[in-house]
Each structure stands twice: as structure tokens, then as C-alpha cells.
Amino acid sequence: MIHGVVSRNREATISLVIVNENRQTKLITAVIDTGYTGFLSLPSEIITELNLSWTGIDRGTLGDGSEVTFEIYAAKVIWDGEYRDIPINEAETDPLVGISLLYGYDLHIQTVEGGNVTIKRLE
């Protein structure tokens, strides 16, 4: 099970460990974005710090309907106690957890400041 908290900005957040090819790690706080269909987005600063491997580009549609191109990188995350290989979208926002990373899990958010965020594998 994964635990997080609702921030004073009313964002559901969780902590994640990102792992590069050389097993260098970085602990980040990411915002859960149920409108984002990808796995995880990171700003270029973190991608550069971890020297993540570039794997290509992808297109995405934003909430306003506009299309954007994302640079894609490879990384591992520690997810529910296990290493998981995922694609990382480069985006100059706070790190975002998308529905693809949450897929197969139950997300529960107590929507008050300081509320619990729990993510549990579906049976």
C-alpha cells in the first residue's frame, strides 16, 4: 500500500523514489493527476540530475484540448515496494503521477488539508 497526504494547496501527493540506470536514487513528492493518462512526469532539472536515458518523443493532449510533444525518458520507480520500469514524460510542472501508474490500484483521497491518500493494489 502507498500512503500520501493532501497538501495545503488541496493536492493529493505521494512520495516516490526514482532510480536511474546507475542505481542513483532521488526521493520526490508528486501530485496525483487523474486527468493525466501517462505514468509520471518530471521537470528537466530532475531528469538531468539523474541523467535519465532519452527514449523518444510522444504527443499528448492537454486539458484545454491543445496538443503538445513530450520528450520521453526511461527510469525505475519504487512502486508499492517493487521496482517498476516506466516511461517518464518531461514537463516543466511539479512531478505528476498519472493514471497509467495508478492502473490496477484503488485510489482513496480524504479531500481535506492533511487528509490521507491511500493507494492499494486491486485484488
Side-chain angles (χ1 to χ4, degrees):
M1 185 177 308
I2 300 161
H3 297 278
V5 66
V6 174
S7 71
R8 67 177 63 158
N9 295 332
R10 298 180 182 176
E11 296 174 322
T13 64
I14 59 171
S15 294
L16 286 174
V17 175
I18 312 298
V19 184
N20 70 8
E21 293 174 343
N22 299 322
R23 297 188 180 211
Q24 178 186 358
T25 63
K26 180 162 183 74
L27 177 66
I28 64 160
T29 298
V31 175
I32 295 171
D33 183 352
T34 60
Y36 167 46
T37 59
F39 286 84
L40 180 67
S41 73
L42 293 175
S44 59
E45 177 182 315
I46 294 174
I47 290 169
T48 301
E49 178 183 339
L50 288 171
N51 194 29
L52 298 181
S53 296
W54 183 83
T55 61
I57 58 172
D58 196 8
R59 301 193 94 192
T61 304
L62 300 180
D64 66 2
S66 63
E67 288 198 13
V68 294
T69 301
F70 292 104
E71 301 285 330
I72 307 295
Y73 296 84
K76 291 183 187 297
V77 294
I78 298 176
W79 182 256
D80 200 16
E82 299 177 6
Y83 287 96
R84 186 168 171 190
D85 291 305
I86 63 166
I88 304 289
N89 290 31
E90 181 179 12
E92 297 308 322
T93 64
D94 290 335
L96 300 176
V97 170
I99 288 295
S100 291
L101 192 54
L102 295 167
Y103 193 81
Y105 285 77
D106 177 54
L107 170 64
H108 181 78
I109 304 169
Q110 293 177 333
T111 54
V112 295
E113 184 178 333
N116 291 322
V117 175
T118 55
I119 302 168
K120 181 179 176 185
R121 185 186 313 254
L122 292 171
E123 297 297 323

